[in-house]
Amino acid sequence: MDLFGIGQLIDPADLTLGGCGSTGLDSTASVVVFETELQGCGSTLMMTEDSLIYGFDLNYQPKALGDTPIVRTNEAVVGIQCHYMRLHNVSSNALQPTWIPYRSTMSAEDVLVFSLRLMTDDWQAERTSNVFFLGDTMNIEASVVQANHVPLRVFADSCVATLVPDLNAVPRYAFIENHGCLMDAKLTDSRSKFLPRVQDDKLKIQLDSFRFFQDSRSSVYIICHLKATAASATTDSQYKACSFSTAANRWMAAGGNDQVCGCCDASCGFRKGRSVEAALQGEGDATLGPIIVQSAQEAEPEFQMLPVVTKDHKAAAASPEVVVLAAVVAIAGLVCVTVLLTVLLRKRHKLSV
């Protein structure tokens, strides 16, 4: 199986699905078969307004070749997603009349459903690829399904990035904290920010892509604790979406009330004189990932560096110093040949006399 498309075959035994080994192999079709429950093999569940999405990591961990200590392929993690429509059963057949849609069940139990999605650059659709390069901007949409609930406004209370889908994993990077303060631009001088609100039940986050220092793994998971309040409630230090503007050197709110962001450099505690619990309609965690963040070196095979080396050699050969040196050598050689011919002619003349 040529996993990387470089003509180097891999051993299917080096492939695992979230730590689970394969259950079958079709060598003729170059197909490796994995069978697992949707909740098995380290899967993660994400929910959107229309879909249930089960995410898996296909891991490739090459072993040394034969009795040698070498490998000829890199490690790799490939994200796999299984999408199921929330208003249909898992076989996508028509619903039976006695089956109660998931959203109706959630509404009846007064349970809110929070989700995170990667969006396209125009924010009009969910992004089909989870692969980014360093320097790219990730568009992340946090949302809450309202169903028959009162109109809601969603907030990202806190968000962390990890290498595995575990909130407490190490290393971890808390880029939203203090009840809705997006710290990334403040800490790293990035372009990360909340975009101005267009819909109360959706919150748009732009996050500059990154990788963890001195770690070769390219997969990143984002885990956020989301909260929802009544859309009619006013924002305050507990329910806000604040970004740091490096150009203006100040905090700015996605809803326009910048005063609620005044505590982002300190501690955003409870404000006296207001019942915070009365404003809160629901809260929950949502996970996004794996997001694959690659460096430029990973995007191009090593053999593509050869033309660069060739160009460097050509540039050196065309430098003025090399041209002058070549001219001096040529002149010296011409003088030597002239002198040698003169000596030979004189000797020949003497012999003839």
Side-chain angles (χ1 to χ4, degrees), residues 1 47 209 291:
M1 177 181 292
M47 289 181 285
S209 58
I291 301 171

Side-chain angles (χ1 to χ4, degrees), residues 118-192:
L118 288 174
M119 303 297 290
T120 56
D121 290 341
D122 59 5
W123 295 91
Q124 297 302 306
E126 186 171 3
R127 197 174 191 266
T128 57
S129 172
N130 65 339
V131 178
F132 294 87
F133 293 96
L134 291 177
D136 290 345
T137 298
M138 295 183 284
N139 293 329
I140 302 172
E141 180 186 85
S143 63
V144 58
V145 176
Q146 297 186 172
N148 296 321
H149 208 283
V150 298
L152 298 173
R153 182 181 294 124
V154 66
F155 297 93
D157 191 70
S158 62
C159 291
V160 300
T162 59
L163 290 166
V164 294
D166 182 357
L167 179 65
N168 300 312
V170 177
R172 62 196 299 269
Y173 174 45
F175 60 92
I176 297 180
E177 53 186 359
N178 213 359
H179 302 296
C181 300
L182 180 51
M183 305 297 298
D184 190 61
K186 178 77 172 181
L187 296 173
T188 67
D189 197 28
S190 71
R191 301 164 296 176
S192 301

Side-chain angles (χ1 to χ4, degrees), residues 30-301:
S30 296
V31 173
V32 180
V33 179
F34 295 91
E35 291 184 8
T36 178
E37 296 180 351
L38 290 174
Q39 298 84 0
C41 296
S43 70
T44 58
L45 173 62
M46 295 181 290
M47 289 181 285
T48 67
E49 292 183 1
D50 303 315
S51 303
L52 294 174
I53 304 173
Y54 290 88
F56 295 86
D57 282 349
L58 181 66
N59 298 284
Y60 172 61
Q61 184 77 33
K63 296 190 293 289
L65 296 173
D67 296 329
T68 72
I70 67 171
V71 295
R72 287 198 168 93
T73 51
N74 295 318
E75 299 177 5
V77 179
V78 180
I80 298 176
Q81 293 185 340
C82 301
H83 290 243
Y84 298 100
M85 296 182 65
R86 287 176 55 181
L87 301 183
H88 293 71
N89 60 21
V90 294
S91 63
S92 297
N93 294 326
L95 294 175
Q96 298 296 325
T98 57
W99 192 81
I100 301 175
Y102 179 79
R103 181 180 297 184
S104 299
T105 304
M106 293 294 99
S107 176
E109 296 179 359
D110 199 24
V111 176
L112 302 181
V113 179
F114 297 93
S115 64
L116 294 172
R117 295 195 297 170
L118 288 174
M119 303 297 290
T120 56
D121 290 341
D122 59 5
W123 295 91
Q124 297 302 306
E126 186 171 3
R127 197 174 191 266
T128 57
S129 172
N130 65 339
V131 178
F132 294 87
F133 293 96
L134 291 177
D136 290 345
T137 298
M138 295 183 284
N139 293 329
I140 302 172
E141 180 186 85
S143 63
V144 58
V145 176
Q146 297 186 172
N148 296 321
H149 208 283
V150 298
L152 298 173
R153 182 181 294 124
V154 66
F155 297 93
D157 191 70
S158 62
C159 291
V160 300
T162 59
L163 290 166
V164 294
D166 182 357
L167 179 65
N168 300 312
V170 177
R172 62 196 299 269
Y173 174 45
F175 60 92
I176 297 180
E177 53 186 359
N178 213 359
H179 302 296
C181 300
L182 180 51
M183 305 297 298
D184 190 61
K186 178 77 172 181
L187 296 173
T188 67
D189 197 28
S190 71
R191 301 164 296 176
S192 301
K193 61 184 177 181
F194 291 111
L195 295 186
R197 282 191 186 271
V198 178
Q199 297 176 244
D200 284 325
D201 61 332
K202 295 180 179 179
L203 181 63
K204 298 177 179 179
I205 308 168
Q206 287 192 321
L207 182 66
D208 279 0
S209 58
F210 60 87
R211 294 181 63 164
F212 284 92
F213 178 62
Q214 291 184 338
D215 198 299
S216 60
R217 288 172 286 182
S218 58
S219 59
V220 174
Y221 290 84
I222 292 176
I223 307 170
C224 293
H225 185 68
L226 305 177
K227 292 184 176 181
T229 66
S232 57
T234 58
T235 57
D236 66 2
S237 61
Q238 291 294 296
Y239 306 107
K240 60 188 185 298
C242 297
S243 309
F244 184 78
S245 170
T246 54
N249 193 32
R250 65 185 181 91
W251 290 94
M252 304 175 67
N257 182 15
D258 296 344
Q259 293 182 352
V260 300
C261 303
C263 63
C264 280
D265 287 326
S267 176
C268 299
F270 294 118
R271 192 177 71 177
K272 295 181 179 179
R274 180 173 183 238
S275 175
V276 176
E277 294 302 324
L280 180 64
Q281 298 293 314
E283 59 186 322
D285 293 334
T287 301
L288 180 62
I291 301 171
I292 309 301
V293 182
Q294 297 183 333
S295 62
Q297 291 80 1
E298 292 174 330
E300 298 180 359

